[in-house]
Amino acid sequence: MSAGTPPVALTVAGSDSGAGAGIQADLKAFAAQRVYGTSAITAITAQNTRGVVDVHPLPAAVVGAQIDAVLDDMPVAAVKIGMLGGADVAAEVAARARDGLLPNLVLDPVLYATSGHRLGALAVVEPVLPYALLVTPNRDEASALTRTPVDTVAEMAAAARAIAGSGARCVVVTGGAEDGDAVDVLWTGDEIRVLRSPWVPTDNDHGTGCTFSAAVAARLAHGDDLFTALDRAKRYVAAGLAGARLWKVGGGRGPLDHFSF
Ligand SMILES: Nc1ncnc2c1ncn2[C@@H]1O[C@H](COP(=O)(O)OP(=O)(O)OP(=O)(O)O)[C@@H](O)[C@H]1O
Ligand SMILES: Cc1ncc(CO)c(N)n1
């Protein structure tokens, strides 16, 4: 069966050699959602399921050239931003966002890998916040952005609202756990909504945040409204976690199955 031309999405993020997170996760999530995925690589990380070994940021002009090459030729309908690298890269991205070139912008404010390795800085992420339709911090990133502890669902809600104060339209704080559910808390710009799905017990959760934000961007590229996009992305990540529960890819926290749905 042949299908029509898919919508196009762009990820601006770092490469993960182990392919569980970063650009590789984003492109798999885009493909799984039947979106044509394009990429601008901001940094090369030497990384596997056990952690990050090395990080090599790319020059800002090289990142800008990749973004422009894609935008000049393809009808990009949504953009996901992950690891940015340096402040100069953030400035390149912010300039294009300011010019209205990055539609449906989903910003995953990456600060640390699951292993704890530092991959970003507040000074790099904060200048891009005002241009995001949606920001997707996990609890640690929300805590860093608000300079307050973020553990409980109530604290996630307060943080989502506070981060929206920096100019982003909507904020979803991810990674909560309550009553056997995986809980994310969304500030829509008007109200708080709590998103729940059954918690999947697994050690294979490397790249969940990257995959989630990429899947939201993919759904927005298809034309979903934000709440539908979030709901579908959450169910997609849960299916990927469940599908890879018994996988043994590497000795650390393994990837999820991007094609289990
Ligand atoms: N074990 C789990 N079971 C069900 N859903 C989960 C589980 N772990 C994470 N999620 C969901 O995955 C999505 C991504 O959230 P999470 O906070 O884990 O990302 P993250 O910490 O940024 O991940 P990473 O740093 O590995 O990329 C959220 O919707 C969250 O609820
Ligand atoms: C390249 C890259 N981006 C983001 C993350 C966060 O999971 C990671 N581990 N690696």
Side-chain angles (χ1 to χ4, degrees):
M1 191 176 70
S2 74
T5 306
V8 178
L10 167 66
T11 170
V12 180
S15 166
D16 168 6
S17 50
I23 286 277
Q24 289 82 359
D26 296 346
L27 291 177
K28 283 186 269 190
F30 288 167
Q33 297 295 327
R34 299 297 296 155
V35 162
Y36 185 81
T38 63
S39 62
I41 299 180
T42 58
I44 312 278
T45 73
Q47 184 176 174
N48 57 29
T49 62
R50 294 197 300 263
V52 178
V53 181
D54 214 344
V55 177
H56 292 277
L58 291 179
V62 175
V63 179
Q66 293 173 80
I67 297 172
D68 292 343
V70 171
L71 292 178
D72 283 350
D73 188 41
M74 298 179 189
V76 171
V79 179
K80 175 246 162 96
I81 295 177
M83 175 186 177
L84 278 164
D88 49 351
V89 172
E92 289 275 329
V93 172
R96 285 160 183 77
R98 194 166 41 241
D99 290 345
L101 298 174
L102 307 180
N104 288 317
L105 184 56
V106 178
L107 172 63
D108 184 3
V110 174
L111 297 178
Y112 298 97
T114 314
S115 56
H117 198 103
R118 176 177 275 283
L119 294 177
L122 283 179
V124 171
V125 166
E126 282 173 339
V128 187
L129 286 175
Y131 304 106
L133 167 65
L134 177 71
V135 188
T136 65
N138 63 25
R139 285 187 299 181
D140 289 343
E141 290 154 353
S143 172
L145 285 165
T146 57
R147 284 98 174 148
T148 48
V150 178
D151 293 311
T152 64
V153 170
E155 288 166 347
M156 291 166 76
R161 212 179 159 144
I163 294 165
S166 62
R169 232 177 307 157
C170 310
V171 179
V172 62
V173 178
T174 65
E178 192 183 66
D179 301 332
D181 285 338
V183 180
D184 306 325
V185 181
L186 171 69
W187 170 250
T188 66
D190 293 317
E191 58 175 356
I192 288 290
R193 290 203 199 179
V194 178
L195 316 177
R196 293 178 179 273
S197 64
W199 181 260
V200 179
T202 179
D203 289 334
N204 293 331
D205 59 0
H206 175 58
T208 45
C210 301
T211 301
F212 178 68
S213 54
V216 175
R219 294 313 319 169
L220 293 172
H222 273 294
D224 287 3
D225 64 60
L226 184 66
F227 193 73
T228 305
L230 280 161
D231 182 55
R232 288 181 166 158
K234 188 162 173 62
R235 282 191 279 131
Y236 167 66
V237 171
L241 285 165
R245 234 165 58 73
L246 301 177
W247 281 16
K248 301 231 177 302
V249 179
R253 301 194 83 90
L256 53 88
D257 180 356
H258 288 85
F259 296 95
S260 172
F261 47 84

